[in-house]
Amino acid sequence: MTTRLNDFRKQLSQLLGEQRFLTDDRSRHHYGRDWTRFATPNPCAVALPETIAEVQAIVRKARTAGVAIVPSGGRTGLSGGAMASNGELVIALDRMNKVLEFNTIDRSLRCQAGTITKLIQTIAVDHQLIYPVDFASSGSSQIGGNIATNAGGIQVIRYGMTRDWVSGLKVVTGTGDVLDLNRGLIKNNTGFDLRHLIAGSEGTLGIIVEATLQLTKPPINPRVIVLGLPSMDAVMAVLQAFRAQIPLLAYEFFSELALNKVIEHQELQRPFAAVTPFYALLEYEHLGEATDDAIMAIVDYCMTERWVEDAVVSQNESQRRSLWRLREDISDTIARWTPYKNDIATTIAQVPGFLAQVDGIVAARYSDLEVIWYGHIGDGNLHLNILKPDSVPVADFQARCKAVSADIFSVIKAMGGSISAEHGVGLLKKDFLGYSRTIEEIAIMKGIKSVFDPDNIMNPGKIFDT
Ligand code: MLT
Ligand code: ZN
């Protein structure tokens, strides 16, 4: 180890004490990776600051020592954005997990970046409000990580992405300066909105240390309906039929293979007897008999058109939750097969053509593998997961799937779609960034990074190489 690195470690150890500056193998392994399993964690150490001033001091010392930093939240990311494989220092926000202020008039909540998403949701509900960005990992993801990846989730069709709910951000940049952005304001037209540059920047511009979030009224009496569908075309036809009549809180879909795996591994029941190639899960506000009549009429129409083969509606909260699990438990269930994940999107109008082309590529290339489809199809966002057979080594599987990514991403490029609708680019998709962003855009992104982070110490090698 060089003297400079040794001095750096000594300084951090003095600053944080041995409880908050971890160098043992177990901690480095635990904090050095996210939910992806395609790279080996190898950070030099893990720092657990408790204040903004400590984050600043750590960043300044890292900059002087030339040590790269990987900001780390709940590490639930799926693109390798929080992987530390090259001797970086991990700055984990776990101890900056306090809610600092709840403002009833502004309907806002200010908290430290390490606050768990679920806690924010619970506090909002205690005040008859909601924080509406929701996903299966909300019990362990941290709000700073959600903002850094602009997390989406299961209700984007109604409420949008994380960035839509962030009204203030404090960020420590690569120079150790603190930016206090937008300060909870609803209206603020004073030039570039740096807050929105930080959302989705995956830790490459700075470390989010504090956030102000907007909250809203909860939906009235939400109900879930699960439909059995004969084809992907039907998935889109049913979406149009419902959207034309009632506002939707969610419109998700999954394939029979996805349902099968979930039922087998989570001990859940099939929603109904019929086994169909695809299922759609819709959520809507139940406003009384008029809603029942409207839903009944749409389902009847869809059945007449042969888009729907069977249907079940939740009758109470526990049924609603059980039906949601059929969709929400998919990601966790299939994680044991180290899946190759594609998180792709087009505009909603393009989805049917897009699905047909991607399906063709996958059928031709992966007929020997298990392919699982699900996603937020109401947002034009599709999750395509290919399961690794136990007998195939991870590296071989990764190489095979990566080769076919280019084919799928070419379709996306031709349609002006996105190679990452919500999981972010991180490490896994950076080689393909050019399929969604132009050379000029990437050059501007790099220029912006160099302003926030002149020495390239903030999560280097994520999104793009500088
Ligand atoms: C989901 O929609 O379930 C999440 O994005 C996670 C995943 O795609 O595995
Ligand atoms: Zn998703």
Side-chain angles (χ1 to χ4, degrees):
M1 193 184 306
T2 64
T3 322
R4 202 163 55 153
L5 188 54
N6 233 340
D7 285 351
F8 172 67
R9 284 170 62 140
K10 266 194 207 135
Q11 286 172 15
L12 285 201
S13 181
Q14 270 164 12
L15 178 75
L16 301 170
E18 60 182 39
Q19 299 294 319
R20 297 196 288 123
F21 182 68
L22 313 174
T23 52
D24 60 289
D25 285 351
R26 203 159 158 264
S27 304
R28 291 189 310 109
H29 193 264
H30 173 73
Y31 284 100
R33 70 178 189 177
D34 56 18
W35 278 1
T36 52
R37 293 291 177 264
F38 296 114
T40 311
N42 184 31
C44 69
V46 180
L48 290 157
E50 287 179 347
T51 63
I52 295 175
E54 280 184 353
V55 176
Q56 288 182 274
I58 297 166
V59 169
R60 288 189 172 131
K61 288 182 195 308
R63 189 179 181 204
T64 307
V67 173
I69 288 169
V70 174
S72 173
R75 293 173 299 282
T76 57
L78 295 165
S79 290
M83 287 299 309
S85 304
N86 296 311
E88 302 96 330
L89 173 73
V90 172
I91 300 188
L93 279 296
D94 295 28
R95 295 197 176 211
M96 295 179 66
N97 59 359
K98 289 172 198 57
V99 173
L100 304 170
E101 188 185 342
F102 189 94
N103 192 316
T104 325
I105 297 171
D106 281 313
R107 286 188 183 167
S108 67
L109 178 152
R110 189 165 62 84
C111 62
Q112 291 179 305
T115 307
I116 300 289
T117 316
K118 191 91 204 158
L119 178 66
I120 294 166
Q121 292 170 338
T122 306
I123 293 175
V125 168
D126 290 346
H127 290 81
Q128 289 79 51
L129 294 168
I130 55 164
Y131 174 65
V133 184
D134 195 18
F135 32 74
S137 59
S138 63
S140 48
S141 74
Q142 297 177 5
I143 195 66
N146 295 182
I147 297 168
T149 54
N150 185 29
I154 53 177
Q155 292 192 321
V156 172
I157 194 170
R158 168 71 173 265
Y159 295 109
M161 307 273 282
T162 297
R163 71 163 75 251
D164 299 311
W165 299 91
V166 177
S167 57
L169 269 188
K170 281 191 188 159
V171 180
V172 175
T173 67
T175 57
D177 295 322
V178 184
L179 303 179
D180 188 359
L181 305 173
N182 202 59
R183 304 174 302 282
L185 297 168
I186 299 296
K187 300 182 93 170
N188 178 15
N189 263 351
T190 50
F192 303 164
D193 196 332
L194 302 183
R195 156 190 60 153
H196 284 300
L197 272 183
I198 301 295
S201 64
E202 301 187 33
T204 59
L205 302 181
I207 302 178
I208 297 168
V209 287
E210 200 179 292
T212 304
L213 305 166
Q214 293 307 125
L215 309 172
T216 189
K217 282 271 172 217
I220 300 165
N221 220 346
R223 282 205 182 167
V224 164
I225 177 164
V226 175
L227 307 163
L229 312 169
S231 65
M232 288 229 205
D233 284 348
V235 175
M236 296 315 287
V238 170
L239 169 65
Q240 299 313 338
F242 273 88
R243 276 220 309 191
Q245 302 294 329
I246 55 167
L248 293 173
L249 295 167
Y251 189 89
E252 301 281 316
F253 98 113
F254 44 94
S255 62
E256 166 57 23
L257 189 53
L259 178 66
N260 207 289
K261 297 272 185 217
V262 168
I263 286 170
E264 192 183 326
H265 291 273
Q266 309 287 352
E267 291 173 14
L268 292 168
Q269 303 291 320
R270 277 192 169 272
F272 33 68
V275 174
T276 53
F278 297 99
Y279 301 87
L281 183 153
L282 293 76
E283 193 168 50
Y284 56 91
E285 287 181 291
H286 185 259
L287 307 175
E289 269 178 36
T291 311
D292 288 331
D293 294 346
I295 295 287
M296 197 61 83
I298 307 166
V299 172
D300 278 352
Y301 170 68
C302 291
M303 283 184 158
T304 316
E305 294 288 328
R306 297 190 185 282
W307 297 330
V308 167
E309 292 182 12
D310 211 340
V312 63
V313 183
S314 65
Q315 298 302 324
N316 52 45
E317 187 54 19
S318 124
Q319 281 178 11
R320 185 177 83 92
R321 284 180 190 281
S322 302
L323 290 175
W324 258 120
R325 284 195 59 195
L326 300 175
R327 163 65 185 89
E328 285 216 277
D329 286 10
I330 298 172
S331 186
D332 187 42
T333 304
I334 62 174
R336 68 200 72 198
W337 284 280
T338 328
Y340 180 75
K341 301 177 91 69
N342 255 305
D343 164 36
I344 45 193
T346 61
T347 58
I348 296 166
Q350 287 174 304
V351 167
F354 173 57
L355 280 176
Q357 287 196 57
V358 175
D359 196 24
I361 293 169
V362 170
R365 298 282 209 121
Y366 297 124
S367 58
D368 57 325
L369 299 179
E370 287 191 304
V371 176
I372 303 238
W373 297 87
Y374 58 94
H376 320 284
I377 202 75
D379 314 324
N381 176 191
L382 199 69
H383 294 314
L384 165 65
N385 284 249
I386 302 164
L387 307 190
K388 187 185 84 57
D390 289 342
S391 56
V392 180
V394 170
D396 295 359
F397 177 68
Q398 172 79 349
R400 179 176 170 194
C401 293
K402 201 170 174 183
V404 92
S405 288
D407 291 353
I408 296 175
F409 293 162
S410 296
V411 175
I412 289 170
K413 186 174 184 178
M415 292 186 161
S418 175
I419 62 159
S420 181
E422 59 174 8
H423 296 168
V425 177
L427 280 179
L428 294 192
K429 278 168 252 156
K430 71 173 173 175
D431 294 347
F432 301 104
L433 188 59
Y435 286 84
S436 274
R437 309 295 294 262
T438 62
I439 292 171
E440 292 78 9
E441 282 181 281
I442 295 170
I444 289 174
M445 286 200 272
K446 289 182 182 176
I448 290 170
K449 176 164 171 62
S450 72
V451 174
F452 279 82
D453 177 29
D455 292 331
N456 192 27
I457 59 166
M458 284 297 171
N459 220 4
K462 310 293 165 46
I463 307 181
F464 43 68
D465 289 316
T466 44

